[in-house]
Amino acid sequence: LFETKKIIDMLNAILLALKQKIMVILGLGTNLGNRKAHLKTAILLLQDILTDIQISPIYHTKALLTADAPQSWDKPFLNMAVRGKTNLKPSELLRAIKNIERQMGRANAEKWSPRPIDIDILAWGDEVITQPALTIPHSQLLQRSFALLPLNNLAPSWTYPVPGPYQGITATALSKKLGHIEDFELMTLLKPAIVGILNITPDSFSDGGKHNTVEKAFAQYQLLVKQGASVIDIGAESTRPNATLLDPEEEWKRLEPILKKIAIHQQQTEDDTLLSLDSRHATTLEKALPFGITYANDVSGLYDEKMCRLIAQHQLKAILMHHTTIPADPQVTLSTQRCAVQEVLTWGKQRIEALQKAGIEKKQIIFDPGIGFGKTPYQSLKLIANLQAFHTLGCALMLGHSRKSFMKVFTKFPASQRDLQTALMAAKVARQVDYLRVHNVKATNEAIITHHFTSLPTYDT
């Protein structure tokens, strides 16, 4: 009987702990440095103290400033909300949040000044807390659309619990009172990051010749950024079947003007989009580094020693793609007698070991199984269906399936008209990869965000 009572007491304690795990909604804001990167970092750190995390779209807003604030403080914000569960007490969560802010570089900053991250507790279930250091719901929630609208994205049926004229009114109804913020991005920051493709080529398989002037290329760059790309992958050489490969001199002649244009634009604006160089040539990468390149996308497999030295020396992200030939040759594919997943996995392990010996850390490597490069359509589909297997490589994973020819298996549309198929497939595998490399960022982001929000559980205080 004594032992039974101990077991019952233990079970009751567990049930009590589970009941005490409550839903909270936090507001995140940033207007200093690489804002999207700061939001991603904050979300990763919050995963240590919250479970079942969901995130809102990102809203672009002007800074709130006092009349006497310095002009240098007038930097636009990125705002969003995060929903999760916690069994911490409100004061404990507040301390954990302040610790994250300190970790990310916000220490003793003046009020209203630019900051890398700002985290506020917006709502704590249906609790009302009024303390000197903590007010829940947030004291300014009903005056700040950049806080209430993201909250509404995550918990539209949440009701305002503070006694008064707004008590019992839902987040959706309150949001309508505050109005709408037009400038927002439909994207998720947990993963994957969307890599927008910018081809400065006359002969790429789906958009050749569309962006081969500085003006056209820059307009496409701005469009991809506006649509929510976290990274722009810029390339001047086509690798489609029968493409003519470029020497480094001709490649740089195409790349230099647009890289200069983007670099000047980023220096003069708040644009903090990351840049990737799609090139096989180490000399091209070396010339491009001063223009802010942080990713090296070498479709030839990073066999060039100088390329590896540059990546290691400058701590670049290195995209490692499996292939059988460059340019792609439909006649040279993996053996249909062997498992394509195992073949690509074995190659990946060998190359990653070689790159580590060359001084490139595993955390820098992004593995791309190379859809369409040396695979039959059915092998490409099998790789996509088994993306989970590549997590055993221990590095980030990229899928570059956009508009590829393997889609002929299920659509008769030409490459330029396969964005629907690309987006649907992206939404299906989004949680299995870290990066999606696509031509149409808007369609891909909308498919992912739709899938994301239709899978949200019902809000429950």
Side-chain angles (χ1 to χ4, degrees):
L1 287 174
F2 179 74
E3 291 299 321
T4 302
K5 185 179 183 304
K6 284 174 62 180
I7 293 171
I8 291 172
D9 290 342
M10 181 179 68
L11 290 173
N12 284 333
I14 292 172
L15 288 171
L16 181 62
L18 289 172
K19 287 179 181 178
Q20 290 176 338
K21 203 164 196 179
I22 198 166
M23 186 73 71
V24 298
I25 299 179
L26 308 179
L28 275 62
T30 171
N31 71 334
L32 186 65
N34 191 327
R35 298 171 298 167
K36 289 180 184 176
H38 292 327
L39 291 176
K40 289 181 182 180
T41 300
I43 291 168
L44 289 172
L45 293 172
L46 285 170
Q47 287 178 327
D48 291 334
I49 56 177
L50 298 179
T51 61
D52 301 329
I53 281 183
Q54 303 288 348
I55 65 175
S56 77
I58 299 173
Y59 289 80
H60 300 242
T61 60
K62 294 180 180 179
L64 285 178
L65 296 172
T66 58
D68 58 347
Q71 184 64 32
S72 61
W73 287 9
D74 191 10
K75 296 179 181 291
F77 266 85
L78 296 185
N79 291 100
M80 63 180 296
V82 172
R83 185 178 85 168
K85 291 181 180 179
T86 183
N87 51 16
L88 295 176
K89 296 177 181 178
S91 58
E92 294 172 338
L93 182 62
L94 180 63
R95 283 196 295 273
I97 286 171
K98 294 304 177 185
N99 185 49
I100 290 174
E101 290 182 339
R102 284 192 293 273
Q103 281 182 257
M104 294 185 61
R106 187 183 178 189
N108 302 319
E110 290 187 65
K111 191 173 183 180
W112 311 110
S113 66
R115 51 257 195 210
I117 197 67
D118 190 6
I119 307 176
D120 294 315
I121 302 174
L122 302 181
W124 190 286
D126 57 3
E127 292 289 320
V128 177
I129 299 172
T130 305
Q131 299 174 355
L134 181 62
T135 301
I136 299 175
H138 192 279
S139 61
Q140 299 297 309
L141 181 62
L142 300 186
Q143 287 76 48
R144 296 181 177 180
S145 57
F146 60 79
L148 185 57
L149 292 180
L151 181 151
N152 180 53
N153 290 132
L154 298 176
S157 61
W158 176 80
T159 57
Y160 192 66
V162 180
Y166 296 106
Q167 185 177 17
I169 299 179
T170 66
T172 297
L174 291 170
S175 296
K176 290 178 180 178
K177 290 180 180 293
L178 283 185
H180 183 64
I181 297 174
E182 292 291 342
D183 194 6
F184 67 94
E185 292 183 33
L186 289 174
M187 63 183 297
T188 63
L189 288 176
L190 293 176
K191 69 178 186 179
I194 306 298
V195 180
I197 299 170
L198 180 54
N199 287 323
I200 312 170
T201 57
D203 56 346
S204 287
F205 74 96
S206 74
D207 58 359
K210 285 190 175 182
H211 317 124
N212 60 346
T213 68
V214 175
E215 293 73 21
K216 290 179 180 178
F218 184 65
Q220 180 65 10
Y221 166 84
Q222 290 184 301
L223 177 64
L224 293 171
V225 171
K226 184 177 181 181
Q227 292 176 346
S230 299
V231 184
I232 305 296
D233 190 36
I234 307 170
E237 177 185 66
S238 174
T239 51
R240 65 169 178 79
N242 302 314
T244 301
L245 298 181
L246 299 180
D247 58 40
E249 291 74 22
E250 179 62 27
E251 182 180 46
W252 184 244
K253 184 178 177 182
R254 293 180 183 179
L255 286 168
E256 185 180 22
I258 183 61
L259 289 176
K260 282 185 177 179
K261 179 81 171 176
I262 292 171
I264 292 171
H265 165 74
Q266 291 195 334
Q267 289 170 2
Q268 296 175 344
T269 67
E270 297 293 329
D271 181 3
D272 48 24
T273 308
L274 302 175
L275 301 181
S276 170
L277 183 71
D278 182 359
S279 175
R280 301 175 296 114
H281 302 294
T283 53
T284 302
L285 176 61
E286 191 169 29
K287 291 176 181 178
L289 286 172
F291 297 98
I293 299 297
T294 55
Y295 289 71
N297 184 11
D298 176 5
V299 296
S300 65
L302 295 167
Y303 286 97
D304 187 303
E305 291 183 5
K306 184 178 180 182
M307 178 78 78
C308 291
R309 283 198 300 272
L310 288 170
I311 291 169
Q313 179 184 349
H314 295 277
Q315 288 292 294
L316 305 179
K317 294 288 188 181
I319 301 171
L320 172 66
M321 189 190 80
H322 177 271
H323 66 284
T324 54
T325 61
I326 297 294
D329 185 346
Q331 305 305 315
V332 183
T333 66
L334 295 172
S335 170
T336 56
Q337 305 302 311
R338 294 194 291 270
C339 174
V341 176
Q342 191 56 52
E343 290 287 296
V344 175
L345 195 56
T346 299
W347 182 90
K349 289 177 180 177
Q350 293 171 347
R351 291 301 305 136
I352 289 170
E353 288 177 6
L355 294 180
Q356 287 180 294
K357 289 178 181 177
I360 299 174
E361 297 181 49
K362 188 174 281 191
K363 67 181 181 181
Q364 294 173 249
I365 301 171
I366 302 167
F367 186 74
D368 180 349
I371 302 302
F373 283 83
K375 289 93 180 172
T376 68
Y378 292 101
Q379 286 174 333
S380 288
L381 286 168
K382 187 172 183 179
L383 291 171
I384 293 171
N386 290 276
L387 287 170
Q388 199 72 26
F390 297 102
H391 291 175
T392 59
L393 295 173
C395 59
L397 183 62
M398 173 183 283
L399 180 65
H401 66 300
S402 183
R403 301 178 179 175
K404 293 286 180 70
S405 60
F406 77 94
M407 294 183 183
K408 291 178 182 178
V409 170
F410 48 82
T411 180
K412 294 182 179 179
F413 288 120
S416 60
Q417 297 177 34
R418 296 176 191 153
D419 289 336
L420 173 61
Q421 292 78 10
T422 298
L424 289 171
M425 198 168 288
K428 179 74 173 176
V429 304
R431 296 187 181 227
Q432 300 178 49
V433 298
D434 302 282
Y435 296 87
L436 282 164
R437 184 178 181 272
V438 298
H439 296 85
N440 190 326
V441 172
K442 182 176 184 291
T444 300
N445 256 327
E446 288 186 350
I448 293 173
I449 205 73
T450 300
H451 186 270
H452 175 75
F453 282 107
T454 53
S455 65
L456 283 177
T458 302
Y459 181 77
D460 183 3
T461 59

